[in-house]
Amino acid sequence: MKWSLAILGAAMTLALGATVSNAHDQAGHFKLNADGTRDCTRLLASGNPDYPPYLWVSEDGKQLEGAAADFLKRVGELAGVEIDIINAGNWGRVQQNMREGTLDMIAGAFFTVPRLEYMDYFNPPFQGTRTVIWTRDNIDIKYRDWADLRGLEGLTVINNSFGQAFDSYAAANLTITEVPNLAQGLGMLSRDRAEYLIYEEFPGKAFASREGITNIRSYDNPVSEENLYLTMSHKSACNTGDLRGRITKAVFKLVIEKAMEDMLEASIQRWGNNTN
């Protein structure tokens, strides 16, 4: 019996590892022309896979879906390129792929100065967000501003940013442990392994609902209110002035038309259906 359980566990581990590896291996598999140069009619993009209703992993584990993916695909249509939004792994891995140039674009990132070293931002931003403080519902840390977090043990998701100003303040003044993903962070908070968690309002609510976590609360005063941008890797062979101009025009058109409002509503519905 013990051997059977061990074999079953090993098989499940190998299967899960293969799924993750296959998702990672997609990054950098670009379409090439006959002469071996990049075919820039098809781009590879990714993003934070733990970010509903903006992004989450599709049922087959290979793609990302959600409102940000829908927006980026529409941008591609208007710009005359096909954009494939793949699951390239966790948020930290996605950003490393952008540094290496094995991904062309990110479907939703906050602006920070360090990120300017490896990717370009497309203006205008396509969505605004609110980052809030989460605690267990049986305590009140009386959060009003950043200084109220001093001396407390916090959590956030690895490589996440909540705006340049807060990131700088947190690095100098706060004790915040990074965890691999939002589900783990919410679980740790729920089990009293930290005093607070920093994450965006709606994605936090969506994930707590899906994970069945009901003993947490968020505070009305936001940590920050930031904008989401589409970005492009400096090392992408397709990062040319011509393509950046076409993408910028497409983003501007869709923002003026408020296309994201309908995409977000439809995405919330899809995410809700996936949790039931």
Side-chain angles (χ1 to χ4, degrees), residues 23-30 38 42-49 62-64 72 83-107 118-120 231-239:
H24 289 178
D25 289 346
Q26 290 183 80
H29 286 191
F30 301 122
R38 255 312 279 284
R42 178 177 177 270
L43 304 180
L44 283 186
S46 192
N48 186 344
K62 297 179 180 179
Q63 305 291 314
L64 296 183
L72 183 53
I83 303 178
D84 190 13
I85 298 96
I86 65 170
N87 174 22
N90 64 33
W91 185 220
R93 179 67 250 174
V94 169
Q95 292 176 75
Q96 184 58 34
N97 283 335
M98 290 289 281
R99 293 185 187 95
E100 297 167 353
T102 50
L103 281 170
D104 295 307
M105 298 186 70
I106 283 180
Y118 59 91
M119 62 188 186
D120 294 316
T231 67
M232 192 167 210
S233 170
H234 288 172
K235 291 189 176 180
S236 168
C238 299
N239 189 345

Short mmCIF file of all heavy atoms in Angstrom, two decimals, residues 23-30 38 42-49 62-64 72 83-107 118-120 231-239:
data_model
loop_
_atom_site.label_atom_id
_atom_site.label_comp_id
_atom_site.label_asym_id
_atom_site.label_seq_id
_atom_site.Cartn_x
_atom_site.Cartn_y
_atom_site.Cartn_z
N ALA A 23 4.76 24.78 -20.12
CA ALA A 23 4.32 26.17 -20.16
C ALA A 23 5.51 27.11 -20.25
O ALA A 23 5.51 28.06 -21.03
CB ALA A 23 3.49 26.49 -18.91
N HIS A 24 6.57 26.83 -19.46
CA HIS A 24 7.76 27.67 -19.50
C HIS A 24 8.44 27.58 -20.85
O HIS A 24 8.95 28.57 -21.38
CB HIS A 24 8.74 27.24 -18.42
CG HIS A 24 8.27 27.56 -17.03
ND1 HIS A 24 8.98 27.23 -15.92
CD2 HIS A 24 7.17 28.20 -16.57
CE1 HIS A 24 8.35 27.63 -14.83
NE2 HIS A 24 7.24 28.21 -15.21
N ASP A 25 8.48 26.37 -21.44
CA ASP A 25 9.20 26.17 -22.68
C ASP A 25 8.59 26.92 -23.85
O ASP A 25 9.26 27.13 -24.87
CB ASP A 25 9.25 24.67 -23.03
CG ASP A 25 10.18 23.91 -22.09
OD1 ASP A 25 10.97 24.57 -21.39
OD2 ASP A 25 10.11 22.67 -22.07
N GLN A 26 7.32 27.31 -23.73
CA GLN A 26 6.71 28.06 -24.83
C GLN A 26 7.38 29.41 -25.05
O GLN A 26 7.46 29.90 -26.16
CB GLN A 26 5.23 28.29 -24.54
CG GLN A 26 4.38 27.03 -24.60
CD GLN A 26 2.94 27.38 -24.37
OE1 GLN A 26 2.24 27.83 -25.28
NE2 GLN A 26 2.48 27.20 -23.15
N ALA A 27 7.86 30.02 -23.97
CA ALA A 27 8.49 31.33 -24.08
C ALA A 27 9.74 31.22 -24.96
O ALA A 27 10.59 30.37 -24.75
CB ALA A 27 8.86 31.85 -22.70
N GLY A 28 9.82 32.09 -25.96
CA GLY A 28 10.96 32.09 -26.85
C GLY A 28 10.75 31.27 -28.10
O GLY A 28 11.62 31.25 -28.98
N HIS A 29 9.64 30.53 -28.20
CA HIS A 29 9.36 29.77 -29.41
C HIS A 29 8.67 30.69 -30.42
O HIS A 29 7.46 30.67 -30.60
CB HIS A 29 8.48 28.55 -29.09
CG HIS A 29 9.25 27.47 -28.39
ND1 HIS A 29 8.75 26.22 -28.19
CD2 HIS A 29 10.49 27.45 -27.84
CE1 HIS A 29 9.63 25.47 -27.55
NE2 HIS A 29 10.69 26.21 -27.33
N PHE A 30 9.48 31.50 -31.07
CA PHE A 30 8.96 32.51 -31.99
C PHE A 30 8.76 31.93 -33.39
O PHE A 30 9.45 30.99 -33.79
CB PHE A 30 9.93 33.69 -32.06
CG PHE A 30 10.19 34.37 -30.75
CD1 PHE A 30 11.48 34.47 -30.26
CD2 PHE A 30 9.15 34.89 -30.00
CE1 PHE A 30 11.73 35.09 -29.04
CE2 PHE A 30 9.39 35.51 -28.78
CZ PHE A 30 10.69 35.61 -28.31
N ARG A 38 13.14 36.65 -37.47
CA ARG A 38 11.84 36.68 -36.78
C ARG A 38 10.73 37.11 -37.72
O ARG A 38 10.87 38.08 -38.47
CB ARG A 38 11.87 37.69 -35.64
CG ARG A 38 11.96 37.25 -34.21
CD ARG A 38 11.06 36.19 -33.72
NE ARG A 38 9.73 36.60 -33.38
CZ ARG A 38 9.40 37.25 -32.30
NH1 ARG A 38 10.30 37.63 -31.43
NH2 ARG A 38 8.14 37.51 -32.05
N ARG A 42 3.58 37.66 -35.69
CA ARG A 42 3.08 36.92 -34.52
C ARG A 42 3.99 37.21 -33.34
O ARG A 42 5.21 37.02 -33.41
CB ARG A 42 3.05 35.41 -34.79
CG ARG A 42 2.58 34.60 -33.59
CD ARG A 42 2.49 33.11 -33.94
NE ARG A 42 2.10 32.31 -32.78
CZ ARG A 42 2.96 31.77 -31.92
NH1 ARG A 42 4.26 31.93 -32.10
NH2 ARG A 42 2.54 31.06 -30.89
N LEU A 43 3.40 37.67 -32.25
CA LEU A 43 4.14 38.00 -31.04
C LEU A 43 3.74 37.07 -29.90
O LEU A 43 2.61 36.56 -29.87
CB LEU A 43 3.85 39.45 -30.62
CG LEU A 43 4.12 40.55 -31.65
CD1 LEU A 43 3.77 41.92 -31.05
CD2 LEU A 43 5.55 40.53 -32.14
N LEU A 44 4.66 36.87 -28.96
CA LEU A 44 4.38 36.09 -27.76
C LEU A 44 4.28 37.03 -26.57
O LEU A 44 5.16 37.87 -26.36
CB LEU A 44 5.49 35.08 -27.50
CG LEU A 44 5.53 33.80 -28.33
CD1 LEU A 44 6.63 32.88 -27.82
CD2 LEU A 44 4.19 33.08 -28.32
N ALA A 45 3.22 36.89 -25.82
CA ALA A 45 3.00 37.71 -24.63
C ALA A 45 2.63 36.81 -23.46
O ALA A 45 2.26 35.64 -23.64
CB ALA A 45 1.90 38.73 -24.87
N SER A 46 2.74 37.35 -22.26
CA SER A 46 2.28 36.65 -21.06
C SER A 46 1.95 37.70 -20.01
O SER A 46 1.78 38.88 -20.33
CB SER A 46 3.36 35.67 -20.55
OG SER A 46 2.81 34.80 -19.58
N GLY A 47 1.83 37.28 -18.77
CA GLY A 47 1.49 38.20 -17.69
C GLY A 47 1.39 37.44 -16.38
O GLY A 47 1.78 36.27 -16.29
N ASN A 48 0.86 38.09 -15.38
CA ASN A 48 0.69 37.48 -14.06
C ASN A 48 -0.44 36.46 -14.13
O ASN A 48 -1.59 36.83 -14.34
CB ASN A 48 0.37 38.57 -13.04
CG ASN A 48 0.31 38.05 -11.62
OD1 ASN A 48 0.21 36.84 -11.39
ND2 ASN A 48 0.35 38.94 -10.65
N PRO A 49 -0.16 35.17 -13.94
CA PRO A 49 -1.21 34.16 -14.10
C PRO A 49 -2.19 34.10 -12.93
O PRO A 49 -3.22 33.42 -13.02
CB PRO A 49 -0.41 32.85 -14.19
CG PRO A 49 0.81 33.11 -13.37
CD PRO A 49 1.15 34.57 -13.61
N LYS A 62 -1.98 26.08 -20.88
CA LYS A 62 -1.00 26.62 -21.82
C LYS A 62 -1.16 28.11 -22.11
O LYS A 62 -0.20 28.77 -22.50
CB LYS A 62 -1.09 25.85 -23.15
CG LYS A 62 -0.73 24.38 -23.02
CD LYS A 62 -0.87 23.67 -24.36
CE LYS A 62 -0.52 22.19 -24.24
NZ LYS A 62 -0.66 21.48 -25.53
N GLN A 63 -2.37 28.62 -21.93
CA GLN A 63 -2.66 30.01 -22.28
C GLN A 63 -3.11 30.78 -21.04
O GLN A 63 -3.43 30.21 -20.01
CB GLN A 63 -3.77 30.06 -23.34
CG GLN A 63 -3.50 29.26 -24.61
CD GLN A 63 -2.39 29.86 -25.45
OE1 GLN A 63 -2.37 31.07 -25.67
NE2 GLN A 63 -1.47 29.03 -25.92
N LEU A 64 -3.13 32.12 -21.18
CA LEU A 64 -3.76 32.97 -20.19
C LEU A 64 -5.01 33.58 -20.80
O LEU A 64 -5.02 33.93 -21.99
CB LEU A 64 -2.81 34.10 -19.75
CG LEU A 64 -1.53 33.67 -19.04
CD1 LEU A 64 -0.74 34.91 -18.61
CD2 LEU A 64 -1.80 32.77 -17.85
N LEU A 72 -5.36 42.82 -25.12
CA LEU A 72 -4.13 42.73 -25.90
C LEU A 72 -4.38 42.09 -27.26
O LEU A 72 -3.80 42.51 -28.27
CB LEU A 72 -3.07 41.95 -25.12
CG LEU A 72 -1.69 41.83 -25.79
CD1 LEU A 72 -1.15 43.19 -26.19
CD2 LEU A 72 -0.72 41.11 -24.86
N ILE A 83 -1.23 38.14 -31.55
CA ILE A 83 -0.56 38.10 -30.26
C ILE A 83 -1.07 36.90 -29.48
O ILE A 83 -2.26 36.80 -29.18
CB ILE A 83 -0.76 39.39 -29.45
CG1 ILE A 83 -0.28 40.60 -30.27
CG2 ILE A 83 0.00 39.32 -28.13
CD1 ILE A 83 -0.48 41.93 -29.57
N ASP A 84 -0.17 35.99 -29.18
CA ASP A 84 -0.49 34.77 -28.44
C ASP A 84 -0.13 34.99 -26.98
O ASP A 84 1.04 35.25 -26.66
CB ASP A 84 0.31 33.61 -29.03
CG ASP A 84 -0.14 32.26 -28.50
OD1 ASP A 84 -1.21 32.19 -27.88
OD2 ASP A 84 0.59 31.27 -28.72
N ILE A 85 -1.11 34.92 -26.07
CA ILE A 85 -0.87 35.16 -24.65
C ILE A 85 -0.72 33.82 -23.94
O ILE A 85 -1.70 33.15 -23.64
CB ILE A 85 -1.99 36.01 -24.00
CG1 ILE A 85 -2.07 37.39 -24.66
CG2 ILE A 85 -1.70 36.22 -22.52
CD1 ILE A 85 -3.09 37.50 -25.74
N ILE A 86 0.53 33.42 -23.70
CA ILE A 86 0.83 32.09 -23.17
C ILE A 86 1.02 32.12 -21.65
O ILE A 86 1.28 33.17 -21.07
CB ILE A 86 2.09 31.50 -23.83
CG1 ILE A 86 3.33 32.33 -23.46
CG2 ILE A 86 1.92 31.40 -25.34
CD1 ILE A 86 4.64 31.68 -23.87
N ASN A 87 0.90 30.95 -21.03
CA ASN A 87 1.24 30.79 -19.63
C ASN A 87 2.72 30.47 -19.55
O ASN A 87 3.14 29.34 -19.80
CB ASN A 87 0.41 29.65 -19.01
CG ASN A 87 0.83 29.34 -17.59
OD1 ASN A 87 1.43 30.18 -16.90
ND2 ASN A 87 0.53 28.13 -17.13
N ALA A 88 3.53 31.46 -19.22
CA ALA A 88 4.98 31.29 -19.16
C ALA A 88 5.48 31.04 -17.75
O ALA A 88 6.68 31.11 -17.49
CB ALA A 88 5.67 32.51 -19.76
N GLY A 89 4.58 30.78 -16.81
CA GLY A 89 5.00 30.54 -15.44
C GLY A 89 4.56 31.66 -14.52
O GLY A 89 3.71 32.48 -14.88
N ASN A 90 5.15 31.71 -13.33
CA ASN A 90 4.74 32.71 -12.36
C ASN A 90 5.21 34.10 -12.77
O ASN A 90 5.97 34.28 -13.72
CB ASN A 90 5.21 32.34 -10.94
CG ASN A 90 6.72 32.32 -10.80
OD1 ASN A 90 7.45 33.08 -11.43
ND2 ASN A 90 7.22 31.43 -9.96
N TRP A 91 4.76 35.11 -12.01
CA TRP A 91 5.01 36.51 -12.37
C TRP A 91 6.50 36.83 -12.42
O TRP A 91 6.98 37.56 -13.28
CB TRP A 91 4.28 37.40 -11.39
CG TRP A 91 4.29 38.88 -11.63
CD1 TRP A 91 4.42 39.84 -10.67
CD2 TRP A 91 4.10 39.59 -12.86
NE1 TRP A 91 4.33 41.10 -11.23
CE2 TRP A 91 4.15 40.97 -12.58
CE3 TRP A 91 3.91 39.18 -14.18
CZ2 TRP A 91 4.01 41.96 -13.55
CZ3 TRP A 91 3.77 40.17 -15.17
CH2 TRP A 91 3.83 41.53 -14.84
N GLY A 92 7.27 36.23 -11.51
CA GLY A 92 8.71 36.45 -11.53
C GLY A 92 9.35 35.88 -12.77
O GLY A 92 10.23 36.50 -13.38
N ARG A 93 8.91 34.70 -13.20
CA ARG A 93 9.45 34.07 -14.41
C ARG A 93 9.09 34.88 -15.64
O ARG A 93 9.91 35.03 -16.55
CB ARG A 93 8.87 32.65 -14.53
CG ARG A 93 9.30 31.86 -15.74
CD ARG A 93 10.78 31.54 -15.67
NE ARG A 93 11.53 32.29 -16.65
CZ ARG A 93 12.85 32.30 -16.74
NH1 ARG A 93 13.57 31.60 -15.89
NH2 ARG A 93 13.46 33.00 -17.65
N VAL A 94 7.88 35.42 -15.67
CA VAL A 94 7.45 36.24 -16.81
C VAL A 94 8.36 37.46 -16.97
O VAL A 94 8.81 37.79 -18.06
CB VAL A 94 5.98 36.67 -16.65
CG1 VAL A 94 5.60 37.73 -17.67
CG2 VAL A 94 5.06 35.46 -16.80
N GLN A 95 8.64 38.12 -15.84
CA GLN A 95 9.50 39.30 -15.91
C GLN A 95 10.92 38.94 -16.32
O GLN A 95 11.58 39.68 -17.05
CB GLN A 95 9.48 40.02 -14.56
CG GLN A 95 8.13 40.64 -14.27
CD GLN A 95 8.06 41.27 -12.89
OE1 GLN A 95 8.60 42.34 -12.66
NE2 GLN A 95 7.39 40.60 -11.96
N GLN A 96 11.41 37.77 -15.87
CA GLN A 96 12.74 37.33 -16.29
C GLN A 96 12.77 37.06 -17.79
O GLN A 96 13.75 37.38 -18.50
CB GLN A 96 13.15 36.08 -15.53
CG GLN A 96 14.56 35.59 -15.83
CD GLN A 96 15.63 36.63 -15.54
OE1 GLN A 96 15.49 37.42 -14.60
NE2 GLN A 96 16.69 36.65 -16.34
N ASN A 97 11.68 36.47 -18.32
CA ASN A 97 11.60 36.25 -19.77
C ASN A 97 11.65 37.57 -20.53
O ASN A 97 12.23 37.65 -21.63
CB ASN A 97 10.29 35.51 -20.11
CG ASN A 97 10.36 34.04 -19.79
OD1 ASN A 97 11.43 33.45 -19.74
ND2 ASN A 97 9.21 33.43 -19.55
N MET A 98 11.05 38.61 -19.97
CA MET A 98 11.10 39.92 -20.62
C MET A 98 12.52 40.48 -20.60
O MET A 98 12.97 41.12 -21.57
CB MET A 98 10.13 40.89 -19.94
CG MET A 98 8.67 40.57 -20.18
SD MET A 98 8.13 40.90 -21.88
CE MET A 98 7.90 42.69 -21.81
N ARG A 99 13.24 40.27 -19.51
CA ARG A 99 14.64 40.71 -19.46
C ARG A 99 15.48 39.99 -20.51
O ARG A 99 16.37 40.58 -21.13
CB ARG A 99 15.23 40.44 -18.07
CG ARG A 99 14.64 41.27 -16.94
CD ARG A 99 15.38 41.01 -15.64
NE ARG A 99 14.72 41.67 -14.52
CZ ARG A 99 13.85 41.11 -13.71
NH1 ARG A 99 13.52 39.84 -13.89
NH2 ARG A 99 13.31 41.79 -12.72
N GLU A 100 15.18 38.70 -20.71
CA GLU A 100 15.95 37.90 -21.65
C GLU A 100 15.50 38.07 -23.09
O GLU A 100 16.24 37.69 -24.02
CB GLU A 100 15.82 36.42 -21.26
CG GLU A 100 16.40 36.09 -19.88
CD GLU A 100 15.98 34.73 -19.38
OE1 GLU A 100 15.11 34.08 -20.04
OE2 GLU A 100 16.48 34.31 -18.32
N GLY A 101 14.30 38.62 -23.29
CA GLY A 101 13.78 38.75 -24.64
C GLY A 101 13.14 37.49 -25.18
O GLY A 101 12.91 37.37 -26.39
N THR A 102 12.81 36.54 -24.31
CA THR A 102 12.15 35.31 -24.75
C THR A 102 10.63 35.46 -24.75
O THR A 102 9.91 34.52 -25.09
CB THR A 102 12.57 34.11 -23.88
OG1 THR A 102 12.43 34.46 -22.49
CG2 THR A 102 14.02 33.75 -24.15
N LEU A 103 10.14 36.62 -24.31
CA LEU A 103 8.76 37.05 -24.52
C LEU A 103 8.81 38.44 -25.16
O LEU A 103 9.73 39.22 -24.89
CB LEU A 103 8.00 37.14 -23.21
CG LEU A 103 7.47 35.85 -22.58
CD1 LEU A 103 6.96 36.14 -21.17
CD2 LEU A 103 6.36 35.23 -23.42
N ASP A 104 7.80 38.74 -25.98
CA ASP A 104 7.74 40.06 -26.60
C ASP A 104 7.03 41.08 -25.72
O ASP A 104 7.47 42.23 -25.61
CB ASP A 104 6.99 39.99 -27.94
CG ASP A 104 7.72 39.16 -28.97
OD1 ASP A 104 8.91 39.43 -29.21
OD2 ASP A 104 7.10 38.23 -29.52
N MET A 105 5.92 40.68 -25.07
CA MET A 105 5.06 41.64 -24.40
C MET A 105 4.51 41.10 -23.08
O MET A 105 4.47 39.88 -22.87
CB MET A 105 3.88 42.04 -25.30
CG MET A 105 4.28 42.72 -26.60
SD MET A 105 2.83 43.32 -27.51
CE MET A 105 2.29 44.68 -26.46
N ILE A 106 4.09 42.03 -22.23
CA ILE A 106 3.34 41.70 -21.01
C ILE A 106 1.96 42.35 -21.11
O ILE A 106 1.84 43.52 -21.47
CB ILE A 106 4.06 42.20 -19.74
CG1 ILE A 106 5.23 41.25 -19.39
CG2 ILE A 106 3.11 42.30 -18.56
CD1 ILE A 106 6.00 41.66 -18.16
N ALA A 107 0.95 41.57 -20.77
CA ALA A 107 -0.44 42.04 -20.82
C ALA A 107 -0.85 42.60 -19.47
O ALA A 107 -1.69 42.04 -18.78
CB ALA A 107 -1.37 40.90 -21.23
N TYR A 118 14.37 47.14 -18.90
CA TYR A 118 14.23 46.00 -19.80
C TYR A 118 12.93 45.98 -20.60
O TYR A 118 12.73 45.07 -21.42
CB TYR A 118 14.38 44.67 -19.04
CG TYR A 118 13.40 44.44 -17.91
CD1 TYR A 118 12.19 43.78 -18.14
CD2 TYR A 118 13.68 44.85 -16.61
CE1 TYR A 118 11.30 43.55 -17.11
CE2 TYR A 118 12.80 44.62 -15.57
CZ TYR A 118 11.61 43.97 -15.82
OH TYR A 118 10.72 43.73 -14.79
N MET A 119 12.05 46.99 -20.42
CA MET A 119 10.85 47.00 -21.27
C MET A 119 10.31 48.41 -21.46
O MET A 119 10.53 49.29 -20.63
CB MET A 119 9.77 46.07 -20.71
CG MET A 119 9.24 46.39 -19.34
SD MET A 119 8.15 45.04 -18.75
CE MET A 119 7.51 45.76 -17.24
N ASP A 120 9.63 48.60 -22.60
CA ASP A 120 8.97 49.86 -22.93
C ASP A 120 7.51 49.79 -22.53
O ASP A 120 6.87 48.73 -22.64
CB ASP A 120 9.06 50.12 -24.44
CG ASP A 120 10.48 50.34 -24.92
OD1 ASP A 120 11.21 51.09 -24.23
OD2 ASP A 120 10.86 49.79 -25.97
N THR A 231 3.32 46.36 -22.14
CA THR A 231 4.76 46.62 -22.25
C THR A 231 5.39 45.72 -23.30
O THR A 231 4.82 44.68 -23.66
CB THR A 231 5.47 46.40 -20.91
OG1 THR A 231 5.44 45.00 -20.58
CG2 THR A 231 4.85 47.21 -19.79
N MET A 232 6.59 46.10 -23.76
CA MET A 232 7.33 45.34 -24.75
C MET A 232 8.80 45.24 -24.35
O MET A 232 9.41 46.22 -23.91
CB MET A 232 7.21 45.99 -26.13
CG MET A 232 7.69 45.12 -27.27
SD MET A 232 7.16 45.77 -28.88
CE MET A 232 7.03 44.23 -29.81
N SER A 233 9.36 44.04 -24.48
CA SER A 233 10.74 43.80 -24.10
C SER A 233 11.71 44.57 -24.99
O SER A 233 11.56 44.62 -26.21
CB SER A 233 11.06 42.30 -24.20
OG SER A 233 12.45 42.07 -24.06
N HIS A 234 12.73 45.17 -24.36
CA HIS A 234 13.78 45.84 -25.13
C HIS A 234 14.49 44.87 -26.07
O HIS A 234 14.96 45.26 -27.14
CB HIS A 234 14.82 46.45 -24.18
CG HIS A 234 14.32 47.65 -23.45
ND1 HIS A 234 15.05 48.24 -22.43
CD2 HIS A 234 13.19 48.39 -23.56
CE1 HIS A 234 14.40 49.28 -21.96
NE2 HIS A 234 13.25 49.38 -22.61
N LYS A 235 14.58 43.59 -25.65
CA LYS A 235 15.33 42.61 -26.43
C LYS A 235 14.49 41.89 -27.47
O LYS A 235 15.01 41.03 -28.20
CB LYS A 235 15.98 41.59 -25.48
CG LYS A 235 17.11 42.18 -24.65
CD LYS A 235 17.87 41.10 -23.90
CE LYS A 235 19.05 41.70 -23.13
NZ LYS A 235 19.80 40.65 -22.40
N SER A 236 13.21 42.22 -27.56
CA SER A 236 12.39 41.62 -28.61
C SER A 236 12.87 42.07 -29.98
O SER A 236 13.05 43.27 -30.22
CB SER A 236 10.92 42.03 -28.43
OG SER A 236 10.16 41.68 -29.58
N ALA A 237 13.07 41.13 -30.88
CA ALA A 237 13.50 41.46 -32.24
C ALA A 237 12.42 42.24 -32.98
O ALA A 237 12.70 42.85 -34.01
CB ALA A 237 13.85 40.18 -33.00
N CYS A 238 11.20 42.23 -32.46
CA CYS A 238 10.09 42.93 -33.10
C CYS A 238 9.85 44.31 -32.51
O CYS A 238 8.90 45.00 -32.91
CB CYS A 238 8.82 42.08 -33.00
SG CYS A 238 8.95 40.47 -33.80
N ASN A 239 10.68 44.73 -31.57
CA ASN A 239 10.52 46.03 -30.93
C ASN A 239 11.10 47.11 -31.84
O ASN A 239 12.25 47.54 -31.69
CB ASN A 239 11.20 46.05 -29.56
CG ASN A 239 10.88 47.31 -28.77
OD1 ASN A 239 10.38 48.28 -29.29
ND2 ASN A 239 11.16 47.26 -27.48
#
